[in-house]
Every structure is written in C-alpha cells, then in structure tokens.
Amino acid sequence: MRTNRRYLVYFAMFLMSMVNYVDRTNLSVAAGSIASTFELSPIQLGYMFSSFLWTYLFCLIPAGLVVDRFGARKVTALSLIIWSAGGILTGLASSFLLLLGSRLVLGIGEAASYPSGPRIIREWAPKTERGLAAAILNAGAYAGPALGGIFVGWLIPQVGWRGSFLVTGAVGVGLGLSWWILYRTPAQAKWISAEERVLINDAATPATATSKQRAPGGLKKLLAEKTMWGLAVTQGCAGYTLYVFLTWLPTYFERAHHMNVVKSSLYTAAPYASACVLGIMLGYLSDRLLTREALARGARRNMIFVMLLLGSVVSAIPFVNSMWAIVLIMSLTLTCVSTVMSMNIALTNDLLGDPAHSGVAVGLLILGGNIFGLAAPIVTGYAVASSGGFTAAFAIAGGLQLLGSLASLTLTRKPMLADRTNPIRGGQAVASAPAGK
C-alpha cells in the first residue's frame, strides 16, 4: 500500500500559503498604478503596504485559539474566503480610505492561515518530517511572490490594477470552497492506508485533543516562557526583511533601476523562486541530519543561527552595481529568511510539551514576526522619503538579522509547557479523539 499520500496535504498547505502571498504581493506589484490613481507619497505607500497587518496582528492570537477549538478544516476554509473577499474589495475601492479598509478585511482573513498551517502539520506530519512539512508550507510564501509577481505583472496591462485584484480574489474563494469540501484529519481520511495512518499517528494524536482534554491557561503559560519570547523575536527579525521585500521590492527596482512593471516583476520573482526551492531542500536536510533526541533538544536552532548570519548580507545590496549580483544577494537573503521562518515553526513544535496548544503557540510566534513586519514597510517608507534611496532600509534589515541570530542562540534553549512530573505528557500528548469532536 502507498504510504506517502500525506504529501497531498503538504501540497494543499503550499497552495494555501501561495495564494495568501499572491494576494499580498498583488498590492506591491500594482503599487505604481495605485499611487498614480490616488496620488500617494512614499510615506502613504508605506502605510498602505502595512495596513492589512493592523487587523492581522490583532486577530492572530484569537485565530490561534479558534484553530485549537474548531480545527483546521473549518477555520482554513473561512479564512481563505474572507481574505479573498478583502482582495476583491481592494479592486473595487474608489478612495484611499476604502482601499485601506479592504486591506483590513484581508488582514482579518489571513490571521488564521499560519496558526492553522502548523495545526495541520501536527495532524499529518511524523515528528521526523516536520521540518520538511513546515518548509513546504513556508515555501508557498515565496512561490506566491515569484509566480504571483509575474502573473500580476502580466495581468495589470491586460485588465488594469483593479481587475488583477478581482481575478486573484476569485481564485482564493475557489480554493477556500475546495478546502472545505476535501480536507479531513488522518483519522477521518478514507484515502490513506492503514499503514500510513500508523506512520503519522504520533503527529495526528496530539493535535486532535478535544477541548475537554486540553489543559487550561495555555496562552498565559506560554507568555511566561522565555523560549516563546525568543522564538517570537527570532521570527520578527527574519520577518522584517521578508516584509521589506514583499512590499517595496518592485518599487525598489522601478525607482532605483528605472524598470517598468513587467520587468520589475520578473526581477522580483527570481529571488522568491530560489528561496522556494532551496528552502524546501534545507527543510528536508534539517530532518535528515537530526535525530529525535536532537529535535527534542531544539537542535534546529543551530541552522536558524547560521541562516540569520548569512542573511545579514542584505545590507550590501545598495553598494553593488551588477544587477545579477543584486539578484544573487537577494536570492541568498530570501533563502535564509525562508529557512529561518519555517525552521522556527518546526522548532516551536519541537519544544512544545503540550501539543494541544499548537495553534496559540504558533499564533504567538507569527505575532512576533508580524509586529516587526508591521514596522518594515512604514520604516522603509520614511527611510526612502528622507534619503531618496534604499541604503538605510537595507542596513536596518541586515542589523535585525544579526540580532535575531543572537536571540535564537540564547533564548530558545528550554522546552515549553513541559510536564516534568509525567514523561509521557511532557513530550507527547495521550489524547486520541479526532479534531472537531
């Protein structure tokens, strides 16, 4: 019997993440046209780029709690439909305020996407495969800007910037409906073999605890964990660079190198494509190199530390003249950022002693990442407006990568919510009821 059909679920997570980031990238690719339509300054662009994060951050922790309560099927489907509706509203906006409002709707919908992703990983991925599963989930965040950047760059001259949002929004609604119809937990999925169900059982069991079996006070306890804060800061330092690229990269190519929207979208896509492929390879490598004992000790942090050090090379971009060298540095930087953010998700699951709180733990992790992400487009907007260039913007990003490397190495060394009086519950949950029951 085939025992690898769980990879279909990994691919579905990849699609979810890719559509998520296509919808985010649509705004940055269309930024020139939107700025012209509404006569926006660089500072106003910065606020517009970050606006979806205002509601995204506010809803992250509630979204994590909702995922833990209702499961990944219902929450993911609803999330996709809500954020896609926000994208459609962006295309229909007739004023700057309505434009901002549509991005707030998008942020509400997208808030559940990453808490639900690691929940799915806990349900479907064997412990020794979580790095790969997290890398595949996270790769969608880079495939989205790569493929979406090219697609939207082509689409805008065909149907206008408004039409591009209508098209990408409709794709998301369709994916949300498909997820609702097709997704099931391993215990419910009739299309996997008994052998594969046994293989993934160590991951499916802990994530499927009922609300009655879940220990209370998970959020409060996690906030008291130094490790949780270290993980969140690390995610934020990497996420800052990602959001600088997500929001400002097409504008950087257009302003600093005088490219049109089609050419800038091609140059924007190349670093994301590299990060998508190499990020999955490094996630696979992290699983193959580490034993179960090493994973339990949080050994993934070593790769996170190295990737953040290498990613600080982003500071050199303004001092390089060759376009191919710039793209190479950007590709290296985004590969490092991609690896850090996916390995940090896997590391959170590795260190989490009570897996029934996976949703809220990852919600806190992503909250940390996106607090920095909220600042990135705004800080970059002020830096560009004050200096007329991007030197300071890239220097800030590089400095934060170095800060993140220290946070990961020093603050993520202890397990979270571990029951040291019970070795079974300290490392693995004992519940076996399927999610949603």
PDB file of all heavy atoms in Angstrom, residues 138-170:
ATOM      1  N   ASN A 138       5.909  26.940   4.231  1.00  0.00           N
ATOM      2  CA  ASN A 138       6.528  28.257   4.128  1.00  0.00           C
ATOM      3  C   ASN A 138       6.961  28.577   2.706  1.00  0.00           C
ATOM      4  O   ASN A 138       7.033  29.743   2.316  1.00  0.00           O
ATOM      5  CB  ASN A 138       7.726  28.336   5.073  1.00  0.00           C
ATOM      6  CG  ASN A 138       8.124  29.764   5.392  1.00  0.00           C
ATOM      7  OD1 ASN A 138       7.293  30.572   5.786  1.00  0.00           O
ATOM      8  ND2 ASN A 138       9.393  30.090   5.202  1.00  0.00           N
ATOM      9  N   ALA A 139       7.261  27.539   1.905  1.00  0.00           N
ATOM     10  CA  ALA A 139       7.679  27.772   0.520  1.00  0.00           C
ATOM     11  C   ALA A 139       6.588  28.483  -0.271  1.00  0.00           C
ATOM     12  O   ALA A 139       6.878  29.233  -1.208  1.00  0.00           O
ATOM     13  CB  ALA A 139       8.033  26.453  -0.151  1.00  0.00           C
ATOM     14  N   GLY A 140       5.328  28.255   0.102  1.00  0.00           N
ATOM     15  CA  GLY A 140       4.252  28.957  -0.583  1.00  0.00           C
ATOM     16  C   GLY A 140       4.349  30.461  -0.440  1.00  0.00           C
ATOM     17  O   GLY A 140       3.919  31.212  -1.325  1.00  0.00           O
ATOM     18  N   ALA A 141       4.938  30.912   0.684  1.00  0.00           N
ATOM     19  CA  ALA A 141       5.110  32.352   0.907  1.00  0.00           C
ATOM     20  C   ALA A 141       6.109  32.953  -0.064  1.00  0.00           C
ATOM     21  O   ALA A 141       6.153  34.177  -0.234  1.00  0.00           O
ATOM     22  CB  ALA A 141       5.567  32.598   2.346  1.00  0.00           C
ATOM     23  N   TYR A 142       6.907  32.102  -0.709  1.00  0.00           N
ATOM     24  CA  TYR A 142       7.894  32.579  -1.672  1.00  0.00           C
ATOM     25  C   TYR A 142       7.477  32.244  -3.107  1.00  0.00           C
ATOM     26  O   TYR A 142       7.773  33.006  -4.028  1.00  0.00           O
ATOM     27  CB  TYR A 142       9.268  31.979  -1.328  1.00  0.00           C
ATOM     28  CG  TYR A 142       9.690  32.416   0.053  1.00  0.00           C
ATOM     29  CD1 TYR A 142       9.258  31.725   1.184  1.00  0.00           C
ATOM     30  CD2 TYR A 142      10.429  33.573   0.239  1.00  0.00           C
ATOM     31  CE1 TYR A 142       9.570  32.163   2.460  1.00  0.00           C
ATOM     32  CE2 TYR A 142      10.760  34.015   1.516  1.00  0.00           C
ATOM     33  CZ  TYR A 142      10.326  33.308   2.618  1.00  0.00           C
ATOM     34  OH  TYR A 142      10.612  33.761   3.879  1.00  0.00           O
ATOM     35  N   ALA A 143       6.758  31.133  -3.267  1.00  0.00           N
ATOM     36  CA  ALA A 143       6.192  30.842  -4.580  1.00  0.00           C
ATOM     37  C   ALA A 143       5.130  31.876  -4.952  1.00  0.00           C
ATOM     38  O   ALA A 143       4.981  32.242  -6.122  1.00  0.00           O
ATOM     39  CB  ALA A 143       5.582  29.441  -4.589  1.00  0.00           C
ATOM     40  N   GLY A 144       4.392  32.366  -3.932  1.00  0.00           N
ATOM     41  CA  GLY A 144       3.363  33.368  -4.184  1.00  0.00           C
ATOM     42  C   GLY A 144       3.915  34.633  -4.824  1.00  0.00           C
ATOM     43  O   GLY A 144       3.451  35.043  -5.896  1.00  0.00           O
ATOM     44  N   PRO A 145       4.925  35.272  -4.218  1.00  0.00           N
ATOM     45  CA  PRO A 145       5.515  36.440  -4.861  1.00  0.00           C
ATOM     46  C   PRO A 145       6.220  36.116  -6.180  1.00  0.00           C
ATOM     47  O   PRO A 145       6.236  36.942  -7.093  1.00  0.00           O
ATOM     48  CB  PRO A 145       6.528  36.933  -3.816  1.00  0.00           C
ATOM     49  CG  PRO A 145       6.000  36.430  -2.521  1.00  0.00           C
ATOM     50  CD  PRO A 145       5.386  35.095  -2.833  1.00  0.00           C
ATOM     51  N   ALA A 146       6.813  34.907  -6.292  1.00  0.00           N
ATOM     52  CA  ALA A 146       7.510  34.549  -7.531  1.00  0.00           C
ATOM     53  C   ALA A 146       6.525  34.390  -8.684  1.00  0.00           C
ATOM     54  O   ALA A 146       6.618  35.085  -9.705  1.00  0.00           O
ATOM     55  CB  ALA A 146       8.310  33.259  -7.330  1.00  0.00           C
ATOM     56  N   LEU A 147       5.566  33.490  -8.530  1.00  0.00           N
ATOM     57  CA  LEU A 147       4.589  33.253  -9.595  1.00  0.00           C
ATOM     58  C   LEU A 147       3.565  34.381  -9.667  1.00  0.00           C
ATOM     59  O   LEU A 147       3.192  34.828 -10.753  1.00  0.00           O
ATOM     60  CB  LEU A 147       3.882  31.916  -9.359  1.00  0.00           C
ATOM     61  CG  LEU A 147       4.788  30.677  -9.338  1.00  0.00           C
ATOM     62  CD1 LEU A 147       3.975  29.430  -9.035  1.00  0.00           C
ATOM     63  CD2 LEU A 147       5.529  30.534 -10.639  1.00  0.00           C
ATOM     64  N   GLY A 148       3.133  34.837  -8.484  1.00  0.00           N
ATOM     65  CA  GLY A 148       2.147  35.919  -8.461  1.00  0.00           C
ATOM     66  C   GLY A 148       2.686  37.211  -9.016  1.00  0.00           C
ATOM     67  O   GLY A 148       1.974  37.963  -9.689  1.00  0.00           O
ATOM     68  N   GLY A 149       3.971  37.477  -8.729  1.00  0.00           N
ATOM     69  CA  GLY A 149       4.574  38.705  -9.247  1.00  0.00           C
ATOM     70  C   GLY A 149       4.564  38.730 -10.768  1.00  0.00           C
ATOM     71  O   GLY A 149       4.216  39.740 -11.396  1.00  0.00           O
ATOM     72  N   ILE A 150       4.954  37.601 -11.376  1.00  0.00           N
ATOM     73  CA  ILE A 150       4.955  37.517 -12.841  1.00  0.00           C
ATOM     74  C   ILE A 150       3.528  37.575 -13.378  1.00  0.00           C
ATOM     75  O   ILE A 150       3.234  38.308 -14.328  1.00  0.00           O
ATOM     76  CB  ILE A 150       5.647  36.218 -13.296  1.00  0.00           C
ATOM     77  CG1 ILE A 150       7.128  36.254 -12.910  1.00  0.00           C
ATOM     78  CG2 ILE A 150       5.485  36.023 -14.800  1.00  0.00           C
ATOM     79  CD1 ILE A 150       7.854  34.953 -13.180  1.00  0.00           C
ATOM     80  N   PHE A 151       2.629  36.807 -12.751  1.00  0.00           N
ATOM     81  CA  PHE A 151       1.247  36.752 -13.229  1.00  0.00           C
ATOM     82  C   PHE A 151       0.557  38.111 -13.113  1.00  0.00           C
ATOM     83  O   PHE A 151      -0.078  38.584 -14.060  1.00  0.00           O
ATOM     84  CB  PHE A 151       0.475  35.695 -12.445  1.00  0.00           C
ATOM     85  CG  PHE A 151      -0.980  35.610 -12.788  1.00  0.00           C
ATOM     86  CD1 PHE A 151      -1.392  35.237 -14.054  1.00  0.00           C
ATOM     87  CD2 PHE A 151      -1.949  35.922 -11.836  1.00  0.00           C
ATOM     88  CE1 PHE A 151      -2.746  35.157 -14.371  1.00  0.00           C
ATOM     89  CE2 PHE A 151      -3.295  35.848 -12.141  1.00  0.00           C
ATOM     90  CZ  PHE A 151      -3.693  35.467 -13.410  1.00  0.00           C
ATOM     91  N   VAL A 152       0.702  38.745 -11.931  1.00  0.00           N
ATOM     92  CA  VAL A 152       0.064  40.046 -11.732  1.00  0.00           C
ATOM     93  C   VAL A 152       0.724  41.100 -12.615  1.00  0.00           C
ATOM     94  O   VAL A 152       0.044  41.983 -13.157  1.00  0.00           O
ATOM     95  CB  VAL A 152       0.107  40.456 -10.250  1.00  0.00           C
ATOM     96  CG1 VAL A 152      -0.425  41.873 -10.062  1.00  0.00           C
ATOM     97  CG2 VAL A 152      -0.704  39.482  -9.404  1.00  0.00           C
ATOM     98  N   GLY A 153       2.063  41.014 -12.773  1.00  0.00           N
ATOM     99  CA  GLY A 153       2.756  41.942 -13.666  1.00  0.00           C
ATOM    100  C   GLY A 153       2.252  41.852 -15.093  1.00  0.00           C
ATOM    101  O   GLY A 153       2.175  42.865 -15.808  1.00  0.00           O
ATOM    102  N   TRP A 154       1.909  40.635 -15.522  1.00  0.00           N
ATOM    103  CA  TRP A 154       1.322  40.463 -16.853  1.00  0.00           C
ATOM    104  C   TRP A 154      -0.142  40.887 -16.867  1.00  0.00           C
ATOM    105  O   TRP A 154      -0.634  41.457 -17.844  1.00  0.00           O
ATOM    106  CB  TRP A 154       1.437  38.993 -17.266  1.00  0.00           C
ATOM    107  CG  TRP A 154       0.648  38.664 -18.501  1.00  0.00           C
ATOM    108  CD1 TRP A 154       1.031  38.839 -19.803  1.00  0.00           C
ATOM    109  CD2 TRP A 154      -0.682  38.123 -18.543  1.00  0.00           C
ATOM    110  NE1 TRP A 154       0.030  38.443 -20.657  1.00  0.00           N
ATOM    111  CE2 TRP A 154      -1.034  37.991 -19.917  1.00  0.00           C
ATOM    112  CE3 TRP A 154      -1.592  37.731 -17.572  1.00  0.00           C
ATOM    113  CZ2 TRP A 154      -2.268  37.488 -20.316  1.00  0.00           C
ATOM    114  CZ3 TRP A 154      -2.827  37.228 -17.967  1.00  0.00           C
ATOM    115  CH2 TRP A 154      -3.153  37.113 -19.331  1.00  0.00           C
ATOM    116  N   LEU A 155      -0.849  40.621 -15.767  1.00  0.00           N
ATOM    117  CA  LEU A 155      -2.291  40.838 -15.718  1.00  0.00           C
ATOM    118  C   LEU A 155      -2.658  42.325 -15.728  1.00  0.00           C
ATOM    119  O   LEU A 155      -3.651  42.721 -16.357  1.00  0.00           O
ATOM    120  CB  LEU A 155      -2.857  40.170 -14.459  1.00  0.00           C
ATOM    121  CG  LEU A 155      -4.370  39.942 -14.364  1.00  0.00           C
ATOM    122  CD1 LEU A 155      -4.850  39.060 -15.512  1.00  0.00           C
ATOM    123  CD2 LEU A 155      -4.707  39.304 -13.020  1.00  0.00           C
ATOM    124  N   ILE A 156      -1.864  43.134 -15.028  1.00  0.00           N
ATOM    125  CA  ILE A 156      -2.212  44.553 -14.899  1.00  0.00           C
ATOM    126  C   ILE A 156      -2.322  45.254 -16.260  1.00  0.00           C
ATOM    127  O   ILE A 156      -3.295  45.989 -16.509  1.00  0.00           O
ATOM    128  CB  ILE A 156      -1.221  45.269 -13.974  1.00  0.00           C
ATOM    129  CG1 ILE A 156      -1.451  44.813 -12.528  1.00  0.00           C
ATOM    130  CG2 ILE A 156      -1.354  46.792 -14.073  1.00  0.00           C
ATOM    131  CD1 ILE A 156      -0.427  45.329 -11.543  1.00  0.00           C
ATOM    132  N   PRO A 157      -1.367  45.066 -17.200  1.00  0.00           N
ATOM    133  CA  PRO A 157      -1.561  45.704 -18.519  1.00  0.00           C
ATOM    134  C   PRO A 157      -2.768  45.167 -19.281  1.00  0.00           C
ATOM    135  O   PRO A 157      -3.299  45.849 -20.162  1.00  0.00           O
ATOM    136  CB  PRO A 157      -0.259  45.351 -19.259  1.00  0.00           C
ATOM    137  CG  PRO A 157       0.742  45.070 -18.185  1.00  0.00           C
ATOM    138  CD  PRO A 157      -0.049  44.436 -17.094  1.00  0.00           C
ATOM    139  N   GLN A 158      -3.211  43.943 -18.918  1.00  0.00           N
ATOM    140  CA  GLN A 158      -4.344  43.355 -19.644  1.00  0.00           C
ATOM    141  C   GLN A 158      -5.687  43.844 -19.119  1.00  0.00           C
ATOM    142  O   GLN A 158      -6.576  44.207 -19.911  1.00  0.00           O
ATOM    143  CB  GLN A 158      -4.291  41.812 -19.531  1.00  0.00           C
ATOM    144  CG  GLN A 158      -2.957  41.181 -19.854  1.00  0.00           C
ATOM    145  CD  GLN A 158      -2.451  41.527 -21.229  1.00  0.00           C
ATOM    146  OE1 GLN A 158      -3.205  41.512 -22.204  1.00  0.00           O
ATOM    147  NE2 GLN A 158      -1.168  41.848 -21.335  1.00  0.00           N
ATOM    148  N   VAL A 159      -5.855  43.855 -17.784  1.00  0.00           N
ATOM    149  CA  VAL A 159      -7.170  44.166 -17.207  1.00  0.00           C
ATOM    150  C   VAL A 159      -7.120  45.331 -16.219  1.00  0.00           C
ATOM    151  O   VAL A 159      -8.148  45.659 -15.610  1.00  0.00           O
ATOM    152  CB  VAL A 159      -7.761  42.922 -16.506  1.00  0.00           C
ATOM    153  CG1 VAL A 159      -7.970  41.793 -17.509  1.00  0.00           C
ATOM    154  CG2 VAL A 159      -6.880  42.454 -15.357  1.00  0.00           C
ATOM    155  N   GLY A 160      -5.956  45.951 -16.054  1.00  0.00           N
ATOM    156  CA  GLY A 160      -5.829  47.060 -15.111  1.00  0.00           C
ATOM    157  C   GLY A 160      -5.561  46.568 -13.705  1.00  0.00           C
ATOM    158  O   GLY A 160      -5.762  45.388 -13.383  1.00  0.00           O
ATOM    159  N   TRP A 161      -5.123  47.470 -12.826  1.00  0.00           N
ATOM    160  CA  TRP A 161      -4.791  47.038 -11.472  1.00  0.00           C
ATOM    161  C   TRP A 161      -6.033  46.571 -10.714  1.00  0.00           C
ATOM    162  O   TRP A 161      -5.975  45.641  -9.914  1.00  0.00           O
ATOM    163  CB  TRP A 161      -4.055  48.141 -10.713  1.00  0.00           C
ATOM    164  CG  TRP A 161      -4.851  49.363 -10.323  1.00  0.00           C
ATOM    165  CD1 TRP A 161      -4.934  50.538 -11.006  1.00  0.00           C
ATOM    166  CD2 TRP A 161      -5.645  49.519  -9.132  1.00  0.00           C
ATOM    167  NE1 TRP A 161      -5.746  51.427 -10.333  1.00  0.00           N
ATOM    168  CE2 TRP A 161      -6.193  50.838  -9.167  1.00  0.00           C
ATOM    169  CE3 TRP A 161      -5.952  48.716  -8.053  1.00  0.00           C
ATOM    170  CZ2 TRP A 161      -7.026  51.333  -8.166  1.00  0.00           C
ATOM    171  CZ3 TRP A 161      -6.784  49.202  -7.048  1.00  0.00           C
ATOM    172  CH2 TRP A 161      -7.304  50.498  -7.105  1.00  0.00           C
ATOM    173  N   ARG A 162      -7.187  47.186 -10.987  1.00  0.00           N
ATOM    174  CA  ARG A 162      -8.415  46.755 -10.307  1.00  0.00           C
ATOM    175  C   ARG A 162      -8.796  45.331 -10.723  1.00  0.00           C
ATOM    176  O   ARG A 162      -9.163  44.489  -9.895  1.00  0.00           O
ATOM    177  CB  ARG A 162      -9.557  47.721 -10.623  1.00  0.00           C
ATOM    178  CG  ARG A 162      -9.353  49.131 -10.072  1.00  0.00           C
ATOM    179  CD  ARG A 162     -10.562  50.008 -10.356  1.00  0.00           C
ATOM    180  NE  ARG A 162     -10.360  51.390  -9.916  1.00  0.00           N
ATOM    181  CZ  ARG A 162     -10.529  51.813  -8.675  1.00  0.00           C
ATOM    182  NH1 ARG A 162     -10.909  50.954  -7.744  1.00  0.00           N
ATOM    183  NH2 ARG A 162     -10.328  53.079  -8.359  1.00  0.00           N
ATOM    184  N   GLY A 163      -8.713  45.051 -11.995  1.00  0.00           N
ATOM    185  CA  GLY A 163      -9.054  43.723 -12.482  1.00  0.00           C
ATOM    186  C   GLY A 163      -8.146  42.644 -11.916  1.00  0.00           C
ATOM    187  O   GLY A 163      -8.584  41.508 -11.692  1.00  0.00           O
ATOM    188  N   SER A 164      -6.874  42.991 -11.657  1.00  0.00           N
ATOM    189  CA  SER A 164      -5.952  41.996 -11.112  1.00  0.00           C
ATOM    190  C   SER A 164      -6.404  41.520  -9.734  1.00  0.00           C
ATOM    191  O   SER A 164      -6.290  40.329  -9.399  1.00  0.00           O
ATOM    192  CB  SER A 164      -4.532  42.572 -11.037  1.00  0.00           C
ATOM    193  OG  SER A 164      -4.428  43.601 -10.061  1.00  0.00           O
ATOM    194  N   PHE A 165      -6.943  42.422  -8.924  1.00  0.00           N
ATOM    195  CA  PHE A 165      -7.436  42.038  -7.596  1.00  0.00           C
ATOM    196  C   PHE A 165      -8.699  41.185  -7.690  1.00  0.00           C
ATOM    197  O   PHE A 165      -8.914  40.284  -6.870  1.00  0.00           O
ATOM    198  CB  PHE A 165      -7.702  43.283  -6.747  1.00  0.00           C
ATOM    199  CG  PHE A 165      -6.457  43.926  -6.212  1.00  0.00           C
ATOM    200  CD1 PHE A 165      -5.901  45.028  -6.847  1.00  0.00           C
ATOM    201  CD2 PHE A 165      -5.829  43.425  -5.084  1.00  0.00           C
ATOM    202  CE1 PHE A 165      -4.747  45.625  -6.366  1.00  0.00           C
ATOM    203  CE2 PHE A 165      -4.678  44.012  -4.589  1.00  0.00           C
ATOM    204  CZ  PHE A 165      -4.131  45.113  -5.229  1.00  0.00           C
ATOM    205  N   LEU A 166      -9.544  41.470  -8.662  1.00  0.00           N
ATOM    206  CA  LEU A 166     -10.753  40.659  -8.840  1.00  0.00           C
ATOM    207  C   LEU A 166     -10.397  39.227  -9.224  1.00  0.00           C
ATOM    208  O   LEU A 166     -11.004  38.266  -8.732  1.00  0.00           O
ATOM    209  CB  LEU A 166     -11.651  41.295  -9.903  1.00  0.00           C
ATOM    210  CG  LEU A 166     -12.153  42.717  -9.626  1.00  0.00           C
ATOM    211  CD1 LEU A 166     -13.044  43.201 -10.769  1.00  0.00           C
ATOM    212  CD2 LEU A 166     -12.902  42.789  -8.305  1.00  0.00           C
ATOM    213  N   VAL A 167      -9.399  39.072 -10.085  1.00  0.00           N
ATOM    214  CA  VAL A 167      -9.001  37.735 -10.535  1.00  0.00           C
ATOM    215  C   VAL A 167      -8.369  36.943  -9.395  1.00  0.00           C
ATOM    216  O   VAL A 167      -8.748  35.793  -9.126  1.00  0.00           O
ATOM    217  CB  VAL A 167      -8.031  37.834 -11.728  1.00  0.00           C
ATOM    218  CG1 VAL A 167      -7.453  36.459 -12.069  1.00  0.00           C
ATOM    219  CG2 VAL A 167      -8.736  38.410 -12.948  1.00  0.00           C
ATOM    220  N   THR A 168      -7.396  37.536  -8.705  1.00  0.00           N
ATOM    221  CA  THR A 168      -6.720  36.799  -7.631  1.00  0.00           C
ATOM    222  C   THR A 168      -7.679  36.516  -6.470  1.00  0.00           C
ATOM    223  O   THR A 168      -7.590  35.464  -5.829  1.00  0.00           O
ATOM    224  CB  THR A 168      -5.491  37.564  -7.122  1.00  0.00           C
ATOM    225  OG1 THR A 168      -5.877  38.895  -6.697  1.00  0.00           O
ATOM    226  CG2 THR A 168      -4.445  37.695  -8.223  1.00  0.00           C
ATOM    227  N   GLY A 169      -8.605  37.428  -6.206  1.00  0.00           N
ATOM    228  CA  GLY A 169      -9.590  37.183  -5.156  1.00  0.00           C
ATOM    229  C   GLY A 169     -10.504  36.017  -5.490  1.00  0.00           C
ATOM    230  O   GLY A 169     -10.840  35.195  -4.623  1.00  0.00           O
ATOM    231  N   ALA A 170     -10.908  35.906  -6.742  1.00  0.00           N
ATOM    232  CA  ALA A 170     -11.789  34.804  -7.156  1.00  0.00           C
ATOM    233  C   ALA A 170     -11.080  33.459  -7.016  1.00  0.00           C
ATOM    234  O   ALA A 170     -11.694  32.456  -6.623  1.00  0.00           O
ATOM    235  CB  ALA A 170     -12.229  35.020  -8.605  1.00  0.00           C
TER     236      ALA A 170
END
